[in-house]
Amino acid sequence: MPEGDTVYRTAADLRRILEGKVLQHSQFRTPGLATSDLAGRTVTSVRSRGKHLLINIAGTATQSAVSIHTHLKMEGEWHVHPVGTRWRKPAHKARIVLRTSTHEAVGFDLGVVDLLADPDAALAYLGPDLLGDDWDPAKATTRITAHPGTTIGEALLDQRLMAGVGNEYRSEICFLRGVHPETPVADVDVATVVDLARRLLWANKDRKVRVTTGNTAPHARLWVYGRHRQPCRRCHTLIVRATLGPPGQDRSIYFCPACQS
Ligand SMILES: [Zn+2]
């Protein structure tokens, strides 16, 4: 599932082929942007901000600078390949095509696609970015502790408090801290949770496969996420799957009822 580390790595992949390059062709396959054309424009930078990806395009004599803002949500991914190479996903799933003289970047199944005149203002609501150059653990801790009655499981997913953690990481973080996900923030050592989140995302930012156990074997990578009714790797109690989140936005969470009581 795409989380902050996935988007960070995606930005690095796109940066390698797009940054400083002139777009020969662009296509937006989303309602509202179908007539947008960035051909002839230069990509100035590519960066991630939490789970958001920004591809910044230089202005011209007659057009202002603009930023392509995308979010992978549950299913999205970007593929990069030399021009003329066959796509690895069906064309009808493509939402954006950007082509330079040598490479093509195709965004498939993207959850959000829009063009922003001022991306910093548009994303100003996000909390500190766990993988950002300006990462600030004290600020993240302060933002989370300002919600003492919220469960830690919900607070970890709230991108306004801290940006980058998704559903897999929140289960893994709660397990590694020995905290039940429904524990109120007031009863949690938030600074150590924030520190752990940073270390986990940082360790995984350059990996293709996410690992929280230190074991890269396919069925041993995670402590609890996706392991409903399987024995806890520490105490052999069966892992439980529940849902946790605001009404209508509840998502699966996995925990060990013994280790996290
Ligand atoms: Zn356990």
Side-chain angles (χ1 to χ4, degrees):
M1 191 171 298
E3 304 196 19
D5 52 350
T6 322
V7 183
Y8 181 95
R9 194 168 52 251
T10 301
D13 290 343
L14 291 173
R15 194 175 298 129
R16 270 191 288 277
I17 65 154
L18 293 178
E19 206 165 85
K21 301 289 178 7
V22 176
L23 297 177
Q24 306 291 323
H25 168 82
S26 78
Q27 192 176 41
F28 291 83
R29 300 181 176 188
T30 54
L33 293 179
T35 60
S36 300
D37 185 6
L38 299 174
R41 309 275 295 267
T42 301
V43 177
T44 51
S45 61
V46 181
R47 61 192 180 96
S48 58
R49 186 82 199 157
K51 295 191 277 182
H52 301 255
L53 181 77
L54 296 167
I55 301 171
N56 297 315
I57 310 290
T60 67
T62 55
Q63 293 161 303
S64 307
V66 70
S67 183
I68 306 169
H69 167 231
T70 62
H71 194 295
L72 299 172
K73 296 282 181 181
M74 309 288 274
E75 307 271 314
E77 53 185 323
W78 281 88
H79 292 181
V80 300
H81 43 71
V83 168
T85 310
R86 192 182 172 88
W87 291 0
R88 301 191 301 277
K89 291 193 89 172
H92 72 267
K93 291 178 174 290
R95 296 291 170 267
I96 305 184
V97 182
L98 301 174
R99 190 185 305 149
T100 69
S101 58
T102 57
H103 286 83
E104 199 166 47
V106 187
F108 292 97
D109 290 319
L110 303 175
V112 173
V113 178
D114 49 24
L115 291 174
L116 301 175
D118 188 348
D120 289 332
L123 299 181
Y125 71 91
L126 291 173
D129 177 4
L130 279 157
L131 294 176
D133 295 336
D134 56 351
W135 166 239
D136 184 342
K139 194 168 163 189
T141 302
T142 301
R143 286 206 181 190
I144 295 171
T145 51
H147 299 265
T150 302
T151 68
I152 188 65
E154 287 175 275
L156 282 169
L157 276 195
D158 190 335
Q159 304 298 301
R160 297 169 298 183
L161 309 182
M162 179 169 76
V165 169
N167 222 30
E168 279 190 32
Y169 276 121
R170 76 160 172 170
S171 287
E172 298 296 297
I173 291 165
C174 288
F175 175 83
L176 283 164
R177 291 303 310 156
V179 172
H180 191 287
E182 289 182 345
T183 308
V185 162
D187 298 334
V188 174
D189 180 350
V190 174
T192 62
V193 166
V194 166
D195 176 62
L196 175 64
R198 160 75 174 187
R199 285 190 284 117
L200 285 177
L201 267 78
W202 191 260
N204 281 292
K205 70 183 174 27
D206 301 319
R207 282 189 189 135
K208 284 215 173 348
V209 179
R210 187 173 296 135
V211 176
T212 60
T213 56
N215 186 341
T216 56
H219 297 290
R221 295 182 298 105
L222 302 175
W223 289 105
V224 291
Y225 187 85
R227 302 193 62 242
H228 184 44
R229 296 199 183 120
Q230 295 180 45
C232 172
R233 300 191 195 282
R234 283 193 176 145
C235 75
H236 305 292
T237 302
L238 297 186
I239 300 299
V240 170
R241 179 181 64 208
T243 56
L244 181 62
Q249 299 173 43
D250 49 329
R251 310 259 309 270
S252 293
I253 187 143
Y254 297 82
F255 60 95
C256 171
C259 291
Q260 295 169 257
S261 55

